[in-house]
Amino acid sequence: MTVTDRMDVASTLADAIIEGPRGYDGVVGDAAWAAEIRRLADLRGATLLAHNYQLPAIQDVADHVGDSLALSRIAAEAPEDTIVFCGVHFMAETAKILSPDKTVLIPDQRAGCSLADSITAEQLQEWKDDYPDAVVVSYVNTTAAVKALTDICCTSSNAVDVVASIDPDREVLFCPDQFLGAHVKRVTGRQNMQIWAGECHVHAGINGDELAEQARSHPGADLFVHPECGCATSALYLAGEGAVPAEQVKILSTGGMLDAARETGARQVLVATEVGMLHQLRRAAPDVEFLAVNDRASCPYMKMITPAALLRCLLDGADEVHVDPETAARARASVERMIAIGQPGGGE
């Protein structure tokens, strides 16, 4: 393809972009689009990162696919000076926190997160004032401002280790996910642990009745359940009652699901998390049938990162993510304390 042909492709694709209240549309994520995305990324000197919950076309064109923390750590080590984070806003913020000297772009800055929005910095400060001697543990699925008020961050895969590392006589304030907090409290047996009543609306919508019905319909299937899900307790109940063999019930982060997928001996796996995860699971274990516990569990914010949005981002250098340097420094300290404890991979 000549230079003129490439410019024609870019112009045609750019002219097709339509902006609406729910994001950018009008561009199909086909082979021509993918080739143009790769060309523009090379021209901009950018690394493309895609979260596991992104659209399949976005995952397939990215340099790296994974959970938010793992991707942010990759961003910090990447030789490129520009990071394009295909995910939701707090994830791009985390990348900026760990790569303060790099340009971080998100294809649509309106891509928020119901879980991150369930606690504000002002609310956390008021909570801290009520428990002045407590240690604050915040899930990485929080804003930079909340991380800046946090003592130690955690991921879903290391939350138990993080909480267990804290002096047993110290009160713990865990935020913002109530289901992950309940899982940690159950596993650690810690009683002096206060849990914020936040949730991811997508994960909270995957309920125990759906899980039980699917488990009955697919005997012999493994259950992969994200600890943010409202059905995590139900999964353990099914195992405890013998409805599902305990060894088939696995409470896992997204990274943990991929590891388990490669090792499972089951022919079918029921997956309780956002449906975008199925794409990576099927790539990891193509001989296994992966089924969504709730096939409507699709995050509208994640899906705002469309082929059109990514094209616009690379053409225009939009939308750049900024974090106040003082906030970033304080937030970075809480993430680094977590990393020092160990096992920070597996993300959310």
mmCIF file with all atom_site columns, all heavy atoms in Angstrom, residues 37-62:
data_model
loop_
_atom_site.group_PDB
_atom_site.id
_atom_site.type_symbol
_atom_site.label_atom_id
_atom_site.label_alt_id
_atom_site.label_comp_id
_atom_site.label_asym_id
_atom_site.label_entity_id
_atom_site.label_seq_id
_atom_site.pdbx_PDB_ins_code
_atom_site.Cartn_x
_atom_site.Cartn_y
_atom_site.Cartn_z
_atom_site.occupancy
_atom_site.B_iso_or_equiv
_atom_site.pdbx_formal_charge
_atom_site.auth_seq_id
_atom_site.auth_comp_id
_atom_site.auth_asym_id
_atom_site.auth_atom_id
_atom_site.pdbx_PDB_model_num
ATOM 1   N N   . ILE A 1 37 ? -4.722  1.342   12.873 1.00 0.00 ? 37 ILE A N   1
ATOM 2   C CA  . ILE A 1 37 ? -4.428  1.555   14.299 1.00 0.00 ? 37 ILE A CA  1
ATOM 3   C C   . ILE A 1 37 ? -2.967  1.260   14.587 1.00 0.00 ? 37 ILE A C   1
ATOM 4   O O   . ILE A 1 37 ? -2.271  2.030   15.267 1.00 0.00 ? 37 ILE A O   1
ATOM 5   C CB  . ILE A 1 37 ? -5.344  0.666   15.177 1.00 0.00 ? 37 ILE A CB  1
ATOM 6   C CG1 . ILE A 1 37 ? -6.801  1.145   15.106 1.00 0.00 ? 37 ILE A CG1 1
ATOM 7   C CG2 . ILE A 1 37 ? -4.856  0.657   16.632 1.00 0.00 ? 37 ILE A CG2 1
ATOM 8   C CD1 . ILE A 1 37 ? -7.043  2.543   15.624 1.00 0.00 ? 37 ILE A CD1 1
ATOM 9   N N   . ARG A 1 38 ? -2.459  0.157   14.063 1.00 0.00 ? 38 ARG A N   1
ATOM 10  C CA  . ARG A 1 38 ? -1.058  -0.199  14.307 1.00 0.00 ? 38 ARG A CA  1
ATOM 11  C C   . ARG A 1 38 ? -0.127  0.841   13.676 1.00 0.00 ? 38 ARG A C   1
ATOM 12  O O   . ARG A 1 38 ? 0.894   1.211   14.264 1.00 0.00 ? 38 ARG A O   1
ATOM 13  C CB  . ARG A 1 38 ? -0.754  -1.588  13.732 1.00 0.00 ? 38 ARG A CB  1
ATOM 14  C CG  . ARG A 1 38 ? -1.454  -2.751  14.429 1.00 0.00 ? 38 ARG A CG  1
ATOM 15  C CD  . ARG A 1 38 ? -1.295  -2.790  15.932 1.00 0.00 ? 38 ARG A CD  1
ATOM 16  N NE  . ARG A 1 38 ? 0.029   -2.375  16.355 1.00 0.00 ? 38 ARG A NE  1
ATOM 17  C CZ  . ARG A 1 38 ? 0.348   -2.082  17.614 1.00 0.00 ? 38 ARG A CZ  1
ATOM 18  N NH1 . ARG A 1 38 ? -0.573  -2.132  18.563 1.00 0.00 ? 38 ARG A NH1 1
ATOM 19  N NH2 . ARG A 1 38 ? 1.564   -1.725  17.930 1.00 0.00 ? 38 ARG A NH2 1
ATOM 20  N N   . ARG A 1 39 ? -0.475  1.318   12.473 1.00 0.00 ? 39 ARG A N   1
ATOM 21  C CA  . ARG A 1 39 ? 0.360   2.327   11.816 1.00 0.00 ? 39 ARG A CA  1
ATOM 22  C C   . ARG A 1 39 ? 0.389   3.623   12.621 1.00 0.00 ? 39 ARG A C   1
ATOM 23  O O   . ARG A 1 39 ? 1.461   4.211   12.856 1.00 0.00 ? 39 ARG A O   1
ATOM 24  C CB  . ARG A 1 39 ? -0.173  2.611   10.408 1.00 0.00 ? 39 ARG A CB  1
ATOM 25  C CG  . ARG A 1 39 ? 0.691   3.574   9.592  1.00 0.00 ? 39 ARG A CG  1
ATOM 26  C CD  . ARG A 1 39 ? 0.069   3.860   8.242  1.00 0.00 ? 39 ARG A CD  1
ATOM 27  N NE  . ARG A 1 39 ? -1.067  4.757   8.354  1.00 0.00 ? 39 ARG A NE  1
ATOM 28  C CZ  . ARG A 1 39 ? -0.963  6.096   8.364  1.00 0.00 ? 39 ARG A CZ  1
ATOM 29  N NH1 . ARG A 1 39 ? 0.226   6.681   8.296  1.00 0.00 ? 39 ARG A NH1 1
ATOM 30  N NH2 . ARG A 1 39 ? -2.045  6.845   8.437  1.00 0.00 ? 39 ARG A NH2 1
ATOM 31  N N   . LEU A 1 40 ? -0.770  4.060   13.090 1.00 0.00 ? 40 LEU A N   1
ATOM 32  C CA  . LEU A 1 40 ? -0.852  5.302   13.862 1.00 0.00 ? 40 LEU A CA  1
ATOM 33  C C   . LEU A 1 40 ? -0.144  5.162   15.215 1.00 0.00 ? 40 LEU A C   1
ATOM 34  O O   . LEU A 1 40 ? 0.487   6.110   15.689 1.00 0.00 ? 40 LEU A O   1
ATOM 35  C CB  . LEU A 1 40 ? -2.316  5.693   14.069 1.00 0.00 ? 40 LEU A CB  1
ATOM 36  C CG  . LEU A 1 40 ? -3.070  6.138   12.811 1.00 0.00 ? 40 LEU A CG  1
ATOM 37  C CD1 . LEU A 1 40 ? -4.569  6.256   13.101 1.00 0.00 ? 40 LEU A CD1 1
ATOM 38  C CD2 . LEU A 1 40 ? -2.519  7.453   12.289 1.00 0.00 ? 40 LEU A CD2 1
ATOM 39  N N   . ALA A 1 41 ? -0.239  3.988   15.823 1.00 0.00 ? 41 ALA A N   1
ATOM 40  C CA  . ALA A 1 41 ? 0.449   3.763   17.093 1.00 0.00 ? 41 ALA A CA  1
ATOM 41  C C   . ALA A 1 41 ? 1.956   3.867   16.909 1.00 0.00 ? 41 ALA A C   1
ATOM 42  O O   . ALA A 1 41 ? 2.664   4.467   17.733 1.00 0.00 ? 41 ALA A O   1
ATOM 43  C CB  . ALA A 1 41 ? 0.073   2.402   17.671 1.00 0.00 ? 41 ALA A CB  1
ATOM 44  N N   . ASP A 1 42 ? 2.458   3.307   15.811 1.00 0.00 ? 42 ASP A N   1
ATOM 45  C CA  . ASP A 1 42 ? 3.895   3.394   15.525 1.00 0.00 ? 42 ASP A CA  1
ATOM 46  C C   . ASP A 1 42 ? 4.309   4.848   15.282 1.00 0.00 ? 42 ASP A C   1
ATOM 47  O O   . ASP A 1 42 ? 5.359   5.292   15.763 1.00 0.00 ? 42 ASP A O   1
ATOM 48  C CB  . ASP A 1 42 ? 4.238   2.543   14.312 1.00 0.00 ? 42 ASP A CB  1
ATOM 49  C CG  . ASP A 1 42 ? 4.140   1.048   14.593 1.00 0.00 ? 42 ASP A CG  1
ATOM 50  O OD1 . ASP A 1 42 ? 4.134   0.682   15.780 1.00 0.00 ? 42 ASP A OD1 1
ATOM 51  O OD2 . ASP A 1 42 ? 4.061   0.267   13.626 1.00 0.00 ? 42 ASP A OD2 1
ATOM 52  N N   . LEU A 1 43 ? 3.495   5.585   14.530 1.00 0.00 ? 43 LEU A N   1
ATOM 53  C CA  . LEU A 1 43 ? 3.808   6.989   14.262 1.00 0.00 ? 43 LEU A CA  1
ATOM 54  C C   . LEU A 1 43 ? 3.832   7.813   15.535 1.00 0.00 ? 43 LEU A C   1
ATOM 55  O O   . LEU A 1 43 ? 4.651   8.723   15.699 1.00 0.00 ? 43 LEU A O   1
ATOM 56  C CB  . LEU A 1 43 ? 2.785   7.582   13.286 1.00 0.00 ? 43 LEU A CB  1
ATOM 57  C CG  . LEU A 1 43 ? 2.899   7.165   11.820 1.00 0.00 ? 43 LEU A CG  1
ATOM 58  C CD1 . LEU A 1 43 ? 1.739   7.735   11.025 1.00 0.00 ? 43 LEU A CD1 1
ATOM 59  C CD2 . LEU A 1 43 ? 4.230   7.633   11.233 1.00 0.00 ? 43 LEU A CD2 1
ATOM 60  N N   . ARG A 1 44 ? 2.919   7.505   16.455 1.00 0.00 ? 44 ARG A N   1
ATOM 61  C CA  . ARG A 1 44 ? 2.828   8.279   17.697 1.00 0.00 ? 44 ARG A CA  1
ATOM 62  C C   . ARG A 1 44 ? 3.802   7.763   18.752 1.00 0.00 ? 44 ARG A C   1
ATOM 63  O O   . ARG A 1 44 ? 3.965   8.368   19.803 1.00 0.00 ? 44 ARG A O   1
ATOM 64  C CB  . ARG A 1 44 ? 1.389   8.237   18.217 1.00 0.00 ? 44 ARG A CB  1
ATOM 65  C CG  . ARG A 1 44 ? 1.076   9.281   19.284 1.00 0.00 ? 44 ARG A CG  1
ATOM 66  C CD  . ARG A 1 44 ? -0.406  9.343   19.573 1.00 0.00 ? 44 ARG A CD  1
ATOM 67  N NE  . ARG A 1 44 ? -1.117  10.074  18.535 1.00 0.00 ? 44 ARG A NE  1
ATOM 68  C CZ  . ARG A 1 44 ? -1.167  11.392  18.454 1.00 0.00 ? 44 ARG A CZ  1
ATOM 69  N NH1 . ARG A 1 44 ? -0.518  12.140  19.333 1.00 0.00 ? 44 ARG A NH1 1
ATOM 70  N NH2 . ARG A 1 44 ? -1.840  11.980  17.491 1.00 0.00 ? 44 ARG A NH2 1
ATOM 71  N N   . GLY A 1 45 ? 4.452   6.649   18.504 1.00 0.00 ? 45 GLY A N   1
ATOM 72  C CA  . GLY A 1 45 ? 5.344   6.066   19.499 1.00 0.00 ? 45 GLY A CA  1
ATOM 73  C C   . GLY A 1 45 ? 4.581   5.617   20.729 1.00 0.00 ? 45 GLY A C   1
ATOM 74  O O   . GLY A 1 45 ? 4.986   5.875   21.857 1.00 0.00 ? 45 GLY A O   1
ATOM 75  N N   . ALA A 1 46 ? 3.466   4.924   20.482 1.00 0.00 ? 46 ALA A N   1
ATOM 76  C CA  . ALA A 1 46 ? 2.561   4.572   21.574 1.00 0.00 ? 46 ALA A CA  1
ATOM 77  C C   . ALA A 1 46 ? 2.489   3.071   21.805 1.00 0.00 ? 46 ALA A C   1
ATOM 78  O O   . ALA A 1 46 ? 2.586   2.266   20.870 1.00 0.00 ? 46 ALA A O   1
ATOM 79  C CB  . ALA A 1 46 ? 1.159   5.104   21.272 1.00 0.00 ? 46 ALA A CB  1
ATOM 80  N N   . THR A 1 47 ? 2.314   2.697   23.059 1.00 0.00 ? 47 THR A N   1
ATOM 81  C CA  . THR A 1 47 ? 1.990   1.338   23.446 1.00 0.00 ? 47 THR A CA  1
ATOM 82  C C   . THR A 1 47 ? 0.490   1.265   23.687 1.00 0.00 ? 47 THR A C   1
ATOM 83  O O   . THR A 1 47 ? -0.070  2.108   24.397 1.00 0.00 ? 47 THR A O   1
ATOM 84  C CB  . THR A 1 47 ? 2.721   0.936   24.744 1.00 0.00 ? 47 THR A CB  1
ATOM 85  O OG1 . THR A 1 47 ? 4.121   0.983   24.531 1.00 0.00 ? 47 THR A OG1 1
ATOM 86  C CG2 . THR A 1 47 ? 2.341   -0.471  25.163 1.00 0.00 ? 47 THR A CG2 1
ATOM 87  N N   . LEU A 1 48 ? -0.163  0.266   23.097 1.00 0.00 ? 48 LEU A N   1
ATOM 88  C CA  . LEU A 1 48 ? -1.606  0.101   23.267 1.00 0.00 ? 48 LEU A CA  1
ATOM 89  C C   . LEU A 1 48 ? -1.867  -0.962  24.328 1.00 0.00 ? 48 LEU A C   1
ATOM 90  O O   . LEU A 1 48 ? -1.427  -2.115  24.189 1.00 0.00 ? 48 LEU A O   1
ATOM 91  C CB  . LEU A 1 48 ? -2.257  -0.325  21.948 1.00 0.00 ? 48 LEU A CB  1
ATOM 92  C CG  . LEU A 1 48 ? -2.042  0.565   20.722 1.00 0.00 ? 48 LEU A CG  1
ATOM 93  C CD1 . LEU A 1 48 ? -2.875  0.052   19.555 1.00 0.00 ? 48 LEU A CD1 1
ATOM 94  C CD2 . LEU A 1 48 ? -2.383  2.011   21.039 1.00 0.00 ? 48 LEU A CD2 1
ATOM 95  N N   . LEU A 1 49 ? -2.585  -0.578  25.374 1.00 0.00 ? 49 LEU A N   1
ATOM 96  C CA  . LEU A 1 49 ? -2.941  -1.488  26.463 1.00 0.00 ? 49 LEU A CA  1
ATOM 97  C C   . LEU A 1 49 ? -4.450  -1.688  26.472 1.00 0.00 ? 49 LEU A C   1
ATOM 98  O O   . LEU A 1 49 ? -5.198  -0.717  26.344 1.00 0.00 ? 49 LEU A O   1
ATOM 99  C CB  . LEU A 1 49 ? -2.499  -0.917  27.811 1.00 0.00 ? 49 LEU A CB  1
ATOM 100 C CG  . LEU A 1 49 ? -1.038  -0.462  27.934 1.00 0.00 ? 49 LEU A CG  1
ATOM 101 C CD1 . LEU A 1 49 ? -0.788  0.105   29.322 1.00 0.00 ? 49 LEU A CD1 1
ATOM 102 C CD2 . LEU A 1 49 ? -0.095  -1.617  27.642 1.00 0.00 ? 49 LEU A CD2 1
ATOM 103 N N   . ALA A 1 50 ? -4.905  -2.918  26.628 1.00 0.00 ? 50 ALA A N   1
ATOM 104 C CA  . ALA A 1 50 ? -6.333  -3.199  26.651 1.00 0.00 ? 50 ALA A CA  1
ATOM 105 C C   . ALA A 1 50 ? -6.683  -4.071  27.843 1.00 0.00 ? 50 ALA A C   1
ATOM 106 O O   . ALA A 1 50 ? -6.054  -5.109  28.073 1.00 0.00 ? 50 ALA A O   1
ATOM 107 C CB  . ALA A 1 50 ? -6.778  -3.892  25.358 1.00 0.00 ? 50 ALA A CB  1
ATOM 108 N N   . HIS A 1 51 ? -7.700  -3.641  28.571 1.00 0.00 ? 51 HIS A N   1
ATOM 109 C CA  . HIS A 1 51 ? -8.172  -4.425  29.703 1.00 0.00 ? 51 HIS A CA  1
ATOM 110 C C   . HIS A 1 51 ? -8.926  -5.662  29.218 1.00 0.00 ? 51 HIS A C   1
ATOM 111 O O   . HIS A 1 51 ? -9.464  -5.694  28.114 1.00 0.00 ? 51 HIS A O   1
ATOM 112 C CB  . HIS A 1 51 ? -9.085  -3.567  30.592 1.00 0.00 ? 51 HIS A CB  1
ATOM 113 C CG  . HIS A 1 51 ? -9.443  -4.233  31.883 1.00 0.00 ? 51 HIS A CG  1
ATOM 114 N ND1 . HIS A 1 51 ? -10.565 -5.018  32.022 1.00 0.00 ? 51 HIS A ND1 1
ATOM 115 C CD2 . HIS A 1 51 ? -8.809  -4.261  33.078 1.00 0.00 ? 51 HIS A CD2 1
ATOM 116 C CE1 . HIS A 1 51 ? -10.609 -5.481  33.270 1.00 0.00 ? 51 HIS A CE1 1
ATOM 117 N NE2 . HIS A 1 51 ? -9.561  -5.049  33.919 1.00 0.00 ? 51 HIS A NE2 1
ATOM 118 N N   . ASN A 1 52 ? -8.972  -6.681  30.073 1.00 0.00 ? 52 ASN A N   1
ATOM 119 C CA  . ASN A 1 52 ? -9.641  -7.937  29.735 1.00 0.00 ? 52 ASN A CA  1
ATOM 120 C C   . ASN A 1 52 ? -11.121 -7.783  29.411 1.00 0.00 ? 52 ASN A C   1
ATOM 121 O O   . ASN A 1 52 ? -11.712 -8.677  28.800 1.00 0.00 ? 52 ASN A O   1
ATOM 122 C CB  . ASN A 1 52 ? -9.520  -8.924  30.912 1.00 0.00 ? 52 ASN A CB  1
ATOM 123 C CG  . ASN A 1 52 ? -8.117  -9.457  31.097 1.00 0.00 ? 52 ASN A CG  1
ATOM 124 O OD1 . ASN A 1 52 ? -7.454  -9.813  30.134 1.00 0.00 ? 52 ASN A OD1 1
ATOM 125 N ND2 . ASN A 1 52 ? -7.657  -9.522  32.337 1.00 0.00 ? 52 ASN A ND2 1
ATOM 126 N N   . TYR A 1 53 ? -11.741 -6.681  29.834 1.00 0.00 ? 53 TYR A N   1
ATOM 127 C CA  . TYR A 1 53 ? -13.176 -6.497  29.605 1.00 0.00 ? 53 TYR A CA  1
ATOM 128 C C   . TYR A 1 53 ? -13.470 -5.691  28.336 1.00 0.00 ? 53 TYR A C   1
ATOM 129 O O   . TYR A 1 53 ? -14.621 -5.368  28.066 1.00 0.00 ? 53 TYR A O   1
ATOM 130 C CB  . TYR A 1 53 ? -13.817 -5.788  30.799 1.00 0.00 ? 53 TYR A CB  1
ATOM 131 C CG  . TYR A 1 53 ? -13.783 -6.542  32.113 1.00 0.00 ? 53 TYR A CG  1
ATOM 132 C CD1 . TYR A 1 53 ? -13.959 -5.880  33.323 1.00 0.00 ? 53 TYR A CD1 1
ATOM 133 C CD2 . TYR A 1 53 ? -13.579 -7.921  32.151 1.00 0.00 ? 53 TYR A CD2 1
ATOM 134 C CE1 . TYR A 1 53 ? -13.940 -6.552  34.532 1.00 0.00 ? 53 TYR A CE1 1
ATOM 135 C CE2 . TYR A 1 53 ? -13.542 -8.591  33.354 1.00 0.00 ? 53 TYR A CE2 1
ATOM 136 C CZ  . TYR A 1 53 ? -13.726 -7.913  34.548 1.00 0.00 ? 53 TYR A CZ  1
ATOM 137 O OH  . TYR A 1 53 ? -13.711 -8.591  35.740 1.00 0.00 ? 53 TYR A OH  1
ATOM 138 N N   . GLN A 1 54 ? -12.446 -5.363  27.577 1.00 0.00 ? 54 GLN A N   1
ATOM 139 C CA  . GLN A 1 54 ? -12.658 -4.587  26.366 1.00 0.00 ? 54 GLN A CA  1
ATOM 140 C C   . GLN A 1 54 ? -13.293 -5.439  25.259 1.00 0.00 ? 54 GLN A C   1
ATOM 141 O O   . GLN A 1 54 ? -13.300 -6.668  25.319 1.00 0.00 ? 54 GLN A O   1
ATOM 142 C CB  . GLN A 1 54 ? -11.323 -4.028  25.876 1.00 0.00 ? 54 GLN A CB  1
ATOM 143 C CG  . GLN A 1 54 ? -10.766 -2.920  26.746 1.00 0.00 ? 54 GLN A CG  1
ATOM 144 C CD  . GLN A 1 54 ? -11.598 -1.646  26.656 1.00 0.00 ? 54 GLN A CD  1
ATOM 145 O OE1 . GLN A 1 54 ? -11.656 -0.996  25.623 1.00 0.00 ? 54 GLN A OE1 1
ATOM 146 N NE2 . GLN A 1 54 ? -12.250 -1.291  27.754 1.00 0.00 ? 54 GLN A NE2 1
ATOM 147 N N   . LEU A 1 55 ? -13.805 -4.737  24.222 1.00 0.00 ? 55 LEU A N   1
ATOM 148 C CA  . LEU A 1 55 ? -14.332 -5.424  23.057 1.00 0.00 ? 55 LEU A CA  1
ATOM 149 C C   . LEU A 1 55 ? -13.245 -6.313  22.433 1.00 0.00 ? 55 LEU A C   1
ATOM 150 O O   . LEU A 1 55 ? -12.064 -5.960  22.454 1.00 0.00 ? 55 LEU A O   1
ATOM 151 C CB  . LEU A 1 55 ? -14.814 -4.410  22.023 1.00 0.00 ? 55 LEU A CB  1
ATOM 152 C CG  . LEU A 1 55 ? -16.027 -3.560  22.410 1.00 0.00 ? 55 LEU A CG  1
ATOM 153 C CD1 . LEU A 1 55 ? -16.161 -2.375  21.453 1.00 0.00 ? 55 LEU A CD1 1
ATOM 154 C CD2 . LEU A 1 55 ? -17.297 -4.407  22.401 1.00 0.00 ? 55 LEU A CD2 1
ATOM 155 N N   . PRO A 1 56 ? -13.611 -7.461  21.858 1.00 0.00 ? 56 PRO A N   1
ATOM 156 C CA  . PRO A 1 56 ? -12.606 -8.337  21.253 1.00 0.00 ? 56 PRO A CA  1
ATOM 157 C C   . PRO A 1 56 ? -11.698 -7.644  20.241 1.00 0.00 ? 56 PRO A C   1
ATOM 158 O O   . PRO A 1 56 ? -10.484 -7.891  20.223 1.00 0.00 ? 56 PRO A O   1
ATOM 159 C CB  . PRO A 1 56 ? -13.460 -9.432  20.587 1.00 0.00 ? 56 PRO A CB  1
ATOM 160 C CG  . PRO A 1 56 ? -14.672 -9.510  21.452 1.00 0.00 ? 56 PRO A CG  1
ATOM 161 C CD  . PRO A 1 56 ? -14.957 -8.086  21.856 1.00 0.00 ? 56 PRO A CD  1
ATOM 162 N N   . ALA A 1 57 ? -12.239 -6.771  19.400 1.00 0.00 ? 57 ALA A N   1
ATOM 163 C CA  . ALA A 1 57 ? -11.415 -6.089  18.400 1.00 0.00 ? 57 ALA A CA  1
ATOM 164 C C   . ALA A 1 57 ? -10.350 -5.222  19.057 1.00 0.00 ? 57 ALA A C   1
ATOM 165 O O   . ALA A 1 57 ? -9.215  -5.121  18.567 1.00 0.00 ? 57 ALA A O   1
ATOM 166 C CB  . ALA A 1 57 ? -12.290 -5.231  17.484 1.00 0.00 ? 57 ALA A CB  1
ATOM 167 N N   . ILE A 1 58 ? -10.691 -4.601  20.179 1.00 0.00 ? 58 ILE A N   1
ATOM 168 C CA  . ILE A 1 58 ? -9.734  -3.755  20.910 1.00 0.00 ? 58 ILE A CA  1
ATOM 169 C C   . ILE A 1 58 ? -8.653  -4.630  21.539 1.00 0.00 ? 58 ILE A C   1
ATOM 170 O O   . ILE A 1 58 ? -7.458  -4.319  21.481 1.00 0.00 ? 58 ILE A O   1
ATOM 171 C CB  . ILE A 1 58 ? -10.458 -2.923  21.980 1.00 0.00 ? 58 ILE A CB  1
ATOM 172 C CG1 . ILE A 1 58 ? -11.516 -2.009  21.346 1.00 0.00 ? 58 ILE A CG1 1
ATOM 173 C CG2 . ILE A 1 58 ? -9.463  -2.105  22.789 1.00 0.00 ? 58 ILE A CG2 1
ATOM 174 C CD1 . ILE A 1 58 ? -10.988 -0.939  20.438 1.00 0.00 ? 58 ILE A CD1 1
ATOM 175 N N   . GLN A 1 59 ? -9.058  -5.757  22.132 1.00 0.00 ? 59 GLN A N   1
ATOM 176 C CA  . GLN A 1 59 ? -8.078  -6.671  22.727 1.00 0.00 ? 59 GLN A CA  1
ATOM 177 C C   . GLN A 1 59 ? -7.110  -7.192  21.664 1.00 0.00 ? 59 GLN A C   1
ATOM 178 O O   . GLN A 1 59 ? -5.899  -7.285  21.896 1.00 0.00 ? 59 GLN A O   1
ATOM 179 C CB  . GLN A 1 59 ? -8.797  -7.843  23.396 1.00 0.00 ? 59 GLN A CB  1
ATOM 180 C CG  . GLN A 1 59 ? -9.651  -7.468  24.594 1.00 0.00 ? 59 GLN A CG  1
ATOM 181 C CD  . GLN A 1 59 ? -10.190 -8.693  25.326 1.00 0.00 ? 59 GLN A CD  1
ATOM 182 O OE1 . GLN A 1 59 ? -9.505  -9.700  25.470 1.00 0.00 ? 59 GLN A OE1 1
ATOM 183 N NE2 . GLN A 1 59 ? -11.424 -8.602  25.797 1.00 0.00 ? 59 GLN A NE2 1
ATOM 184 N N   . ASP A 1 60 ? -7.648  -7.525  20.489 1.00 0.00 ? 60 ASP A N   1
ATOM 185 C CA  . ASP A 1 60 ? -6.820  -8.153  19.458 1.00 0.00 ? 60 ASP A CA  1
ATOM 186 C C   . ASP A 1 60 ? -5.799  -7.202  18.846 1.00 0.00 ? 60 ASP A C   1
ATOM 187 O O   . ASP A 1 60 ? -4.751  -7.651  18.363 1.00 0.00 ? 60 ASP A O   1
ATOM 188 C CB  . ASP A 1 60 ? -7.716  -8.729  18.361 1.00 0.00 ? 60 ASP A CB  1
ATOM 189 C CG  . ASP A 1 60 ? -8.490  -9.959  18.819 1.00 0.00 ? 60 ASP A CG  1
ATOM 190 O OD1 . ASP A 1 60 ? -8.135  -10.530 19.864 1.00 0.00 ? 60 ASP A OD1 1
ATOM 191 O OD2 . ASP A 1 60 ? -9.452  -10.336 18.120 1.00 0.00 ? 60 ASP A OD2 1
ATOM 192 N N   . VAL A 1 61 ? -6.079  -5.911  18.843 1.00 0.00 ? 61 VAL A N   1
ATOM 193 C CA  . VAL A 1 61 ? -5.159  -4.954  18.220 1.00 0.00 ? 61 VAL A CA  1
ATOM 194 C C   . VAL A 1 61 ? -4.120  -4.420  19.210 1.00 0.00 ? 61 VAL A C   1
ATOM 195 O O   . VAL A 1 61 ? -3.135  -3.801  18.807 1.00 0.00 ? 61 VAL A O   1
ATOM 196 C CB  . VAL A 1 61 ? -5.951  -3.777  17.591 1.00 0.00 ? 61 VAL A CB  1
ATOM 197 C CG1 . VAL A 1 61 ? -6.344  -2.732  18.644 1.00 0.00 ? 61 VAL A CG1 1
ATOM 198 C CG2 . VAL A 1 61 ? -5.164  -3.135  16.450 1.00 0.00 ? 61 VAL A CG2 1
ATOM 199 N N   . ALA A 1 62 ? -4.327  -4.683  20.502 1.00 0.00 ? 62 ALA A N   1
ATOM 200 C CA  . ALA A 1 62 ? -3.455  -4.116  21.535 1.00 0.00 ? 62 ALA A CA  1
ATOM 201 C C   . ALA A 1 62 ? -2.098  -4.815  21.595 1.00 0.00 ? 62 ALA A C   1
ATOM 202 O O   . ALA A 1 62 ? -1.945  -5.965  21.184 1.00 0.00 ? 62 ALA A O   1
ATOM 203 C CB  . ALA A 1 62 ? -4.142  -4.210  22.897 1.00 0.00 ? 62 ALA A CB  1
#
